[in-house]
Amino acid sequence: MKSKAYLIIGVCLILARAVQAQTAFSPETIAGHRSFTYNHNLTLSLTEKIGLTNISWFDADYRNSANHIYFIRSGLSYRLEEAWRFDAGVGMKNPGSFATVSLGYQRFREVFSFSCTAGATYQAGWTMEPVLWAAWTPKLSSAQHLYLSLFVTGNIDKEAVQRGIQQVRLGLTQGQISYGLAANFDQFNDFTNTLYNLGFFLKGTF
C-alpha cells in the first residue's frame, strides 16, 4: 500500500516538473493519543482552469494495526466558474479502491474561507459523499493569526452512513506554518465502529 502511495505522489511531482505547473502543497502531521497521522493536499495547476490533485491520508494506530486508516485519491479538477469546480478521481481507502465525481463551491477570503462539495463515490456500490470545510483566521498581531478549521465528510447510502469523518483544528498561524490542537473523529459501518484521536498538529502551506 505504501509503495503505491509513493508511486502516485512521485508521478504527480514529476508531472509538475515536466509541465512547469504551479504547485500548491499543504502537508500536516498530528501526534495524537491514539495514533500518528500524516496527510497532504497537492494541487498542480496546468492551466487557469485545469489542475491535477492528490489527497493522501495515513493514520497509524500505536497499538492496533486493525485501526490503521488510509486514503489516497488522485484526480482531475476543472474550474467551471470563479467559485465552482468539477472533480473526478480514483484512489484507495479502507477497505479498497474507489472512483468519485463531485461538484464543488469554494470561497477564499483573508479572514474566512469556505468550501463544500456534493458527489458520488463507487466502492462496492454507490454512495453520496458531501464534504464541508471552513476556516476562520482573524489577525491577532502583525506576525500571528488565529487558526480555527472544521472539516466534515461522509459516505451515505439509502440504508446507512457507511463512513463519517469530522476534524477540528485550533491554533495559530505564523507565515506558512500553522500549529496547535487537533481532534479527529472517525465512524465506520453506521457508527458500529468509532475512533477518535486528540493531539497536536503541525501544518505547512506552500
Side-chain angles (χ1 to χ4, degrees):
M1 187 267 290
K2 288 184 178 179
S3 61
K4 291 181 180 179
Y6 293 145
L7 177 61
I8 292 171
I9 296 167
V11 168
C12 289
L13 293 173
I14 291 170
L15 279 172
R17 186 173 181 84
V19 301
Q20 295 183 338
Q22 182 180 352
T23 304
F25 182 55
S26 182
E28 180 188 59
T29 59
I30 301 167
H33 81 286
R34 181 189 64 81
S35 64
F36 182 84
T37 302
Y38 168 82
N39 71 83
H40 73 243
N41 194 325
L42 173 66
T43 302
L44 315 176
S45 299
L46 305 180
T47 69
E48 289 186 358
K49 288 185 174 292
I50 300 174
L52 299 177
T53 62
N54 176 263
I55 300 173
S56 297
W57 177 276
F58 303 97
D59 183 284
D61 193 289
Y62 301 133
R63 304 175 188 85
N64 188 355
S65 61
N67 290 333
H68 290 350
I69 303 171
Y70 67 92
F71 178 97
I72 308 161
R73 187 188 74 192
S74 294
L76 180 70
S77 180
Y78 183 78
R79 185 165 61 87
L80 302 171
E81 299 281 346
E82 178 183 358
W84 291 91
R85 73 181 191 280
F86 172 80
D87 291 285
V90 295
M92 299 175 291
K93 64 178 179 177
N94 306 78
S97 58
F98 70 95
T100 184
V101 292
S102 64
L103 180 66
Y105 177 86
Q106 58 187 15
R107 284 290 186 184
F108 299 100
R109 296 291 185 262
E110 183 177 355
V111 174
F112 182 75
S113 297
F114 169 86
S115 71
C116 62
T117 64
T121 296
Y122 184 83
Q123 186 182 35
W126 288 100
T127 59
M128 295 299 295
E129 186 172 353
V131 181
L132 170 67
W133 173 83
W136 185 48
T137 56
K139 189 174 183 179
L140 299 178
S141 68
S142 59
Q144 289 186 329
H145 289 74
L146 178 70
Y147 182 78
L148 175 61
S149 70
L150 171 68
F151 174 82
V152 180
T153 186
N155 291 99
I156 306 166
D157 64 20
K158 61 182 179 180
E159 297 178 352
V161 178
Q162 293 188 4
R163 180 77 164 92
I165 303 173
Q166 304 85 39
Q167 300 173 358
V168 180
R169 305 288 183 268
L170 175 61
L172 297 174
T173 297
Q174 292 181 260
Q176 295 177 303
I177 303 299
S178 300
Y179 56 90
L181 303 176
N184 291 346
F185 305 91
D186 296 270
Q187 302 87 37
F188 302 87
N189 302 321
D190 205 23
F191 297 88
T192 58
N193 182 22
T194 61
L195 298 171
Y196 69 97
N197 194 36
L198 307 177
F200 299 93
F201 78 92
L202 178 65
K203 180 177 182 177
T205 304
F206 307 107

